[in-house]
Amino acid sequence: MQATRIISKVLPNGSIALPKEFSNKVGEVYEIILIPMGKEGIYEYCESIAKEKKIPRLTESGLAKIIHASRKVK
């Protein structure tokens, strides 16, 4: 599985603008996580979750714990 990061806007009709490489994938299902772009980005979000879950350092296993915690996986 390959993840692709895009930065997009919510359009007036409520849909999300996608890059052209995804426009021909009608019917495909993707998991979409919306993180507002602003002063807090993904790193600040992960840092706040790490503090909340008492994860001492953001290592690969620490990030995995954050992901599992966010999905309620033990």
Side-chain angles (χ1 to χ4, degrees):
M1 170 179 16
Q2 178 182 350
T4 302
R5 180 180 181 192
I6 65 166
I7 296 174
S8 187
K9 290 184 177 183
V10 177
L11 302 175
N13 67 359
S15 63
I16 297 174
L18 293 174
K20 287 183 181 180
E21 67 241 32
F22 290 95
S23 64
N24 65 345
K25 299 190 183 231
V26 175
E28 292 289 326
V29 178
Y30 293 91
E31 176 180 8
I32 299 172
I33 301 169
L34 300 175
I35 301 171
M37 295 296 294
K39 74 177 200 179
E40 268 205 30
I42 187 67
Y43 298 107
E44 291 82 8
Y45 173 75
C46 285
E47 185 178 14
S48 69
I49 296 296
K51 286 178 184 175
E52 178 185 319
K53 301 293 180 182
K54 297 182 178 151
I55 300 169
R57 296 185 326 126
L58 287 179
T59 61
E60 185 175 335
S61 63
L63 289 173
K65 288 180 184 178
I66 290 171
I67 293 167
H68 292 321
S70 71
R71 295 182 175 170
K72 297 182 181 17
V73 175
K74 293 188 179 206

